[in-house]
Amino acid sequence: QLKAVTGEKWWWIVILFYLSFQWAGAVKNGSMVFFCQNVLNDSNGAAQALLAVLGAIPMAIAAVVVVPLANKFSKRMLCFAGMAIGVLGGVIAGLGGSNLAVVGVGVALKCLGSSPACYLILAMLADVIDHVEYKTGIRTDGLTMSIYSSIMVAGTPICNAIFSALLNGSGYDQNASVALGTAAQSAAAKSAISVSYIWVETVAYLVCAALIFSFTIEKDLSAEQAEIAKRSGK
């Protein structure tokens, strides 16, 4: 199985896509509280609650339309469009600075843009598994899903460690009072927090857009799946 998947470029594309997408999201999630407290000057949790809601609503709406749109335009093009929207949202949020309204609009767009990848990643992995089976005759569900799960599980602790290293390197003062808000931290610390919450994921979405644009596996997939079924006598 390992030889079969590592020799397939589509497998590498979808795994790197998921790695970038998942780990960038983990960095963002781990830095959200710090961003609200130190950049948005939020000492009571109101900004954090608002950003959480603005992130959840687009995901809930997208759950209804993602599959029909993917069937019409292809998983590849829908994910590419989503990543492009996510990059736009990230730029808006980044330019918003400490303005909660502007940051909120950007975060909502980022979450809307991420929804196709969230809902379609397993389907894209399944397409790759079918393609590998067509080429090699080997079914690689077990290995591929183990790697997928490992990426997901490892993301939070590894990315939290990365974020902690960025904070320490920026001179973040962990003893500063939350109530002091933006005045409590240096410009370097606030910059590191903004990079972690907004720009890491924005850049990752740009990378993901480039990866998924070249993911043209769906072009011949129907014929390949028909051949797999023929081989198995179905």
Side-chain angles (χ1 to χ4, degrees):
Q1 288 189 49
L2 184 62
K3 183 179 179 180
V5 297
T6 55
E8 176 51 57
K9 66 178 181 179
W10 303 129
W11 186 88
W12 282 109
I13 287 175
V14 77
I15 289 295
L16 290 173
F17 175 93
Y18 181 66
L19 177 67
S20 301
F21 181 82
Q22 182 71 20
W23 285 24
V27 172
K28 178 197 74 175
N29 293 337
S31 58
M32 181 178 184
V33 173
F34 294 84
F35 180 82
C36 292
Q37 291 176 350
N38 298 285
V39 178
L40 297 181
N41 197 22
D42 174 39
S43 59
N44 58 16
Q48 185 179 346
L50 179 61
L51 292 181
V53 170
L54 289 173
I57 290 175
M59 290 291 291
I61 295 173
V64 180
V65 300
V66 162
V67 172
L69 289 175
N71 290 335
K72 183 174 182 179
F73 297 107
S74 82
K75 294 185 284 292
R76 165 180 167 261
M77 291 309 300
L78 186 60
C79 285
F80 176 78
M83 292 294 96
I85 292 172
V87 170
L88 174 62
V91 171
I92 292 173
L95 295 177
S98 60
N99 188 315
L100 178 58
V102 177
V103 172
V105 170
V107 167
L109 282 173
K110 273 178 65 177
C111 291
L112 178 64
S114 72
S115 58
C118 288
Y119 294 126
L120 297 174
I121 183 63
L122 287 175
M124 292 189 289
L125 278 170
D127 290 346
V128 171
I129 290 168
D130 285 345
H131 178 70
V132 171
E133 182 180 7
Y134 168 77
K135 289 181 63 177
T136 67
I138 300 172
R139 193 74 186 171
T140 59
D141 305 61
L143 177 64
T144 297
M145 293 313 299
S146 294
I147 293 172
Y148 168 87
S149 299
S150 297
I151 289 172
M152 180 172 59
V153 171
T156 298
I158 291 176
C159 291
N160 282 345
I162 293 172
F163 176 58
S164 295
L166 287 173
L167 282 183
N168 292 334
S170 68
Y172 179 83
D173 181 5
Q174 298 186 42
N175 297 315
S177 172
V178 172
L180 293 177
T182 55
Q185 303 297 342
S186 67
K190 289 188 287 184
S191 177
I193 292 169
S194 294
V195 166
S196 299
Y197 183 67
I198 296 174
W199 293 109
V200 167
E201 192 173 53
T202 302
V203 172
Y205 283 7
L206 189 61
V207 172
C208 287
L211 287 170
I212 206 65
F213 187 74
S214 62
F215 188 70
T216 57
I217 195 172
E218 292 173 273
K219 180 180 178 181
D220 300 314
L221 189 62
S222 296
E224 293 176 357
Q225 290 172 333
E227 176 60 24
I228 293 171
K230 182 180 178 181
R231 292 174 189 171
S232 62
K234 296 180 180 179

